Amino acid sequence: MENLIGLLVLVPLLGAGVLLCGGRRLDRAGHWIGTLVAALSFVIGAVLFAGLLGRAADDRELDVTVFSWVPVGGFHADAGFQLDQLSVTFVLLITGVGSLIHLYSVGYMAHDERRRRFFGYLNLFLAAMLLLVLADNYLLLYVGWEGVGLASYLLIGFWQHKPSAATAAKKAFLVNRVGDVGLSIAVMLMFTTFGTFAFGPVLDHADRAGEGRLTAIGLMLLLAACGKSAQVPLQSWLGDAMEGPTPVSALIHAATMVTAGVYLITRSAAIFDAAPVAQAAVVAVGAVTLLFGAIVGCAKDDIKKALAGSTMSQIGYMVLAAGLGPLGYVFAIMHLVTHGFFKAGLFLGAGSVMHGMNDEVDMRRYGGLRKYMPVTFVTFGLGYLAIIGFPGLSGFFSKDKIIEAAFAKGGTEGWILGGAALLGAAITAYYMTRVMVLTFFGEERWRPAPSPDEPSAEPAAAAHEGAMPHPHESPKVMTIPMIVLAAGSVLAGGLFSIDDAFVRWLSPVTGHEEGNSPVGALTVTAATMVVMVLGVALAWFQYGRRPVPVTPPRGSLLTRAARRDLLQDDINHIVLVRGGDHLVRGLARVDHGLVDGAVNGTAAAVGGASARLRRLQNGFARSYAVSMFGGTAVLIAATLLMRAV
Amino acid sequence: MNPVNYLYLAALLFTIGAAGVLIRRNAIVVFMCVELMLNACNLAFVTFARMHGNLDGQIIAFFTMVVAAAEVVIGLAIILTIFRSRHSASVDDASLLKL
């Protein structure tokens, strides 16, 4: 069983290697190799899961040291894997949803001539993410962390011939880098504090370190999580990342990448529990992001960007839950898993809609598609019901628990957090209904697409340029993953909640406690239902009852701000770009004035002194003789003087 | 006779030599003044050897003579060469070696 853990990382890595180095020979079979590799890693993950299930609840941790990685003097870093309930949950999510997305991509990327390479990158993504969740120390986790960053860069910029995609990839990479700096500082602090990176010693002895140290480590870990999970203030890359092919968006948003931050916080639970300031920061980031993402999601007309806002918001829920401490860790992961199902389903559905609509992404040019794409409609609809928390579907169970936990935090803080979470639920219902109504209901607002000023990226679409779209259902290879994910969106939450199965499964790793909520569980559920219905009704009245203009109206100040992602890029531009500009210019001035001045001044002084000194060198032997005699006389006088003294 | 008188003589000779080196322009005279200084030193060494009752000073005097002889050979050769090319034995004329 231990050997299988290493294999789990190795298989997709080998798959990526074979696909990327295999050359054109593999063009015809590459996509199936990639899919098979993903499926194989899912099977391995399932076997490991079954193995863990067969053990006692407190004995479900496997540690494997593969090799001694960096043995230098007193510095030891081993490459090792740790499999426990938390990591196996992630493994199943990553490989399961990942395999479905691979399968879907076979159809979605059918007309792309670089499909083999695409699958190679997908496999690399899986390998990096698996390494991240399986590592048994922070240094190896960092390797996976960077690998995820690299793979996301390659995939977001997959259509690199589009300048916007290339820019988006660079943006994602750079923003992630800011977070990575946080992680690397956290790892270094851990080493100076604990003398090791391994999860075991660091987390077991976390409370022995000073609180200041732990707060610093916690805040740096939070910065890292913000970068990967697109939390405020490092959220700006997520919207632009939609430039990648739709399966990539599904993979980034559901199974990999953005979940890494939540994993990091949950894994480092012991550190955060001992550092209340860092934990409060986590909660604040989560609460702000969940509202931020939701508001952005309301204003976007691009179906993928609306879903991206929703991802940001849902990850905000998870981070909020993770920041609640033992009250929320389990629910953060539970929401992560259910979100993995319905968000992947929603993205694949969006991809399917785009596939049938000549890659049109503007929802104002959709409408009435339910008749033409029945399977997409039903699966997307189930995902929709799950994300807004319709009773009985998976989002209902996981989100409701988070809202309850937020209230259970207690005091004013609990009321604020719970209120924010409730408000977020209302906005979620609103924008998801908006997406649903604009896409599948109402009149048909199709236009000849794509518009000339935005030439389509996908070669497949070029053939249809200027033609009216003929919406059609996607091929089976695309609909089957959607159906499976829809089934997951419907069932997962319920299955996890039977007899609190998920809580019992995960609590040995993360710890769990029930809080004393000032409001009863039933009240919370009822309130959630009420705000959900309000959100749905509002969206229905705005978009379902009235005709939708094809060109977006000017909108209020808030709408316009939200369309611009609540000015995130403008803020970054003013604070970072212009601030950096001024800083650099100031530094250049200091460099020219002070540093260069000192260097040049020294040189000039030496040169001037030499010019004067060289006049002594006049060529007259007798004048040299005078200096010699003078010098000797001085030496003798000095010697005599010293003796006398 | 008091050996200290020899030291006075040596100092006098040395001073005459040094003044000659600094004042005279003719290279041959300068050269002879250098010899005068060397011999003044020799005289001082020998006197010290006598005063301290050992031979160290005398041995050094021999060394000085050997070095002086070598110096004369090379120095005269240089002066001769300069005179051939410049038709002058003035030390101030040979002042090209400068910046």
Side-chain angles (χ1 to χ4, degrees):
Chain A
M1 191 159 164
E2 274 83 358
N3 299 336
L4 281 180
I5 302 177
L7 213 57
L8 197 52
V9 177
L10 207 60
V11 164
L13 197 62
L14 277 180
V18 167
L19 287 177
L20 292 177
C21 305
R24 296 231 177 91
R25 266 163 294 163
L26 292 177
D27 267 356
R28 287 179 56 205
H31 44 288
W32 290 117
I33 296 177
T35 312
L36 212 64
V37 162
L40 184 60
S41 49
F42 177 64
V43 170
I44 298 174
V47 169
L48 288 172
F49 175 63
L52 282 192
L53 268 186
R55 292 169 170 234
D58 50 357
D59 187 32
R60 284 174 179 157
E61 187 181 317
L62 286 177
D63 284 296
V64 192
T65 304
V66 183
F67 58 92
S68 183
W69 183 17
V70 194
V72 184
F75 178 97
H76 281 283
D78 292 340
F81 297 122
Q82 172 178 348
L83 190 79
D84 56 11
Q85 291 95 322
L86 182 61
S87 46
V88 88
T89 307
F90 271 88
V91 165
L92 287 182
L93 176 73
I94 295 163
T95 55
V97 176
S99 304
L100 292 173
I101 292 170
H102 274 73
L103 185 63
Y104 176 91
S105 308
V106 171
Y108 191 83
M109 301 298 281
H111 301 289
D112 198 299
E113 53 190 29
R114 291 162 70 228
R115 180 162 62 162
R116 171 182 55 83
R117 186 177 307 222
F118 183 76
F119 277 84
Y121 292 158
L122 285 187
N123 279 351
L124 182 65
F125 211 148
L126 285 194
M129 195 65 198
L130 288 171
L131 183 63
L132 197 162
V133 298
L134 283 173
D136 76 341
N137 62 69
Y138 281 97
L139 202 62
L140 195 62
L141 179 144
Y142 188 70
V143 175
W145 191 269
E146 293 294 312
V148 169
L150 168 70
S152 68
Y153 168 78
L154 293 170
L155 283 170
I156 293 169
F158 186 71
W159 287 322
Q160 57 204 211
H161 51 86
K162 270 200 302 186
S164 55
T167 316
K170 273 185 274 182
K171 185 172 177 183
F173 197 70
L174 283 177
V175 175
N176 267 293
R177 197 109 308 250
V178 178
D180 296 348
V181 170
L183 184 56
S184 65
I185 293 176
V187 170
M188 291 179 219
L189 278 177
M190 270 172 210
F191 187 72
T192 54
T193 312
F194 303 104
T196 174
F197 315 110
F199 286 153
V202 170
L203 299 175
D204 290 347
H205 306 314
D207 43 354
R208 280 194 214 160
E211 196 183 317
R213 267 302 171 99
L214 288 176
T215 305
I217 295 176
L219 288 177
M220 285 299 121
L221 288 175
L222 174 63
L223 179 66
C226 282
K228 272 283 175 293
S229 291
Q231 300 294 294
V232 174
L234 296 178
Q235 82 288 12
S236 66
W237 64 271
L238 195 69
D240 291 328
M242 293 301 108
E243 288 293 339
T246 311
V248 175
S249 311
L251 195 59
I252 288 180
H253 287 231
T256 58
M257 188 97 183
V258 295
T259 59
V262 182
Y263 172 77
L264 186 68
I265 295 175
T266 312
R267 178 58 85 191
S268 315
I271 292 176
F272 284 100
D273 288 343
V277 177
Q279 203 162 39
V282 174
V283 173
V285 164
V288 169
T289 310
L290 94 85
L291 292 176
F292 188 105
I295 292 170
V296 169
C298 293
K300 291 288 184 183
D301 290 327
D302 181 327
I303 185 169
K304 285 174 74 182
K305 290 200 170 161
L307 290 178
S310 130
T311 300
M312 208 188 283
S313 169
Q314 300 301 316
I315 304 279
Y317 270 108
M318 298 168 208
V319 171
L320 170 67
L324 293 174
L327 283 176
Y329 289 129
V330 174
F331 302 128
I333 303 301
M334 182 161 148
H335 193 52
L336 194 150
V337 175
T338 56
H339 175 259
F341 281 114
F342 55 69
K343 186 49 66 66
L346 288 171
F347 264 111
L348 296 189
S352 171
V353 170
M354 287 160 59
H355 199 70
M357 293 291 285
N358 295 355
D359 294 315
E360 178 64 74
V361 290
D362 189 348
M363 289 189 290
R364 290 179 186 276
R365 296 173 184 217
Y366 292 167
L369 290 176
R370 67 181 186 282
K371 278 175 284 182
Y372 303 92
M373 305 178 172
V375 180
T376 308
F377 169 62
V378 171
T379 54
F380 196 94
L382 288 173
Y384 155 74
L385 290 177
I387 194 174
I388 65 170
F390 193 79
L393 274 67
S394 56
F396 167 75
F397 293 102
S398 50
K399 198 189 287 181
D400 202 48
K401 289 284 186 194
I402 292 181
I403 299 175
E404 270 175 40
F407 276 116
K409 178 80 176 167
T412 328
E413 206 185 342
W415 283 103
I416 294 173
L417 295 176
L422 265 184
L423 183 60
I427 307 179
T428 305
Y430 172 79
Y431 66 74
M432 283 313 299
T433 311
R434 177 173 174 271
V435 170
M436 195 69 194
V437 169
L438 283 178
T439 307
F440 292 104
F441 293 92
E443 62 199 20
E444 298 166 1
R445 299 180 301 275
W446 313 336
R447 292 286 181 280
S451 49
D453 55 332
E454 282 178 325
S456 164
E458 282 170 276
H464 304 291
E465 192 131 6
M468 267 312 260
H470 300 287
H472 54 272
E473 190 52 85
S474 302
K476 280 225 168 54
V477 72
M478 288 166 71
T479 51
I480 287 172
M482 287 155 59
I483 294 168
V484 175
L485 287 169
S489 323
V490 173
L491 299 175
L495 286 180
F496 291 161
S497 298
I498 296 174
D499 204 12
D500 280 336
F502 201 79
V503 176
R504 279 189 293 115
W505 165 250
L506 213 53
S507 50
V509 187
T510 57
H512 179 66
E513 60 185 50
E514 298 287 342
N516 295 323
S517 181
V519 277
L522 269 179
T523 323
V524 172
T525 310
T528 316
M529 288 303 107
V530 170
V531 297
M532 181 195 91
V533 171
L534 281 179
V536 171
L538 184 63
W540 177 256
F541 280 117
Q542 265 193 314
Y543 295 97
R545 300 285 298 275
R546 284 184 274 166
V548 181
V550 172
T551 46
R554 198 169 135 76
S556 66
L557 204 62
L558 181 64
T559 313
R560 272 178 283 153
R563 269 190 207 134
R564 291 177 65 91
D565 299 310
L566 288 180
L567 307 180
Q568 61 186 16
D569 289 333
D570 306 78
I571 291 169
N572 282 350
H573 185 78
I574 290 169
V575 175
L576 298 175
V577 178
R578 267 204 232 142
D581 216 32
H582 283 295
L583 181 70
V584 168
R585 257 183 239 174
L587 283 179
R589 223 172 289 147
V590 169
D591 184 46
H592 279 300
L594 213 65
V595 179
D596 285 6
V599 172
N600 292 341
T602 312
V606 170
S610 320
R612 278 182 197 93
L613 276 176
R614 78 177 180 190
R615 300 231 177 98
L616 294 175
Q617 195 85 6
N618 54 13
F620 293 112
R622 294 190 302 150
S623 98
Y624 302 158
V626 170
S627 15
M628 273 167 66
F629 281 120
T632 315
V634 167
L635 278 181
I636 290 171
T639 314
L640 291 178
L641 206 67
M642 292 307 287
R643 275 205 181 170
V645 174
Chain B
M1 197 170 150
N2 190 357
V4 175
N5 291 335
Y6 291 98
L7 287 184
Y8 288 136
L9 177 63
L12 189 67
L13 286 175
F14 189 90
T15 312
I16 293 170
V21 168
L22 294 183
I23 292 165
R24 300 301 298 264
R25 287 207 188 92
N26 190 321
I28 302 290
V29 179
V30 170
F31 206 61
M32 282 174 3
C33 290
V34 169
E35 292 302 313
L36 203 54
M37 286 158 73
L38 283 170
N39 283 309
C41 288
N42 275 350
L43 184 56
F45 276 128
V46 173
T47 311
F48 283 132
R50 169 81 184 195
M51 284 164 76
H52 293 264
N54 61 21
L55 290 176
D56 294 0
Q58 305 226 17
I59 292 168
I60 291 186
F62 277 115
F63 277 107
T64 313
M65 278 180 211
V66 173
V67 172
E71 179 231 336
V72 167
V73 172
I74 295 168
L76 275 178
I78 292 172
I79 292 170
L80 205 64
T81 319
I82 289 178
F83 184 78
R84 273 198 192 144
S85 59
R86 310 184 69 90
H87 300 289
S88 145
S90 165
V91 286
D92 284 2
D93 282 353
S95 66
L96 292 175
L97 197 63
K98 65 181 175 189
L99 277 168

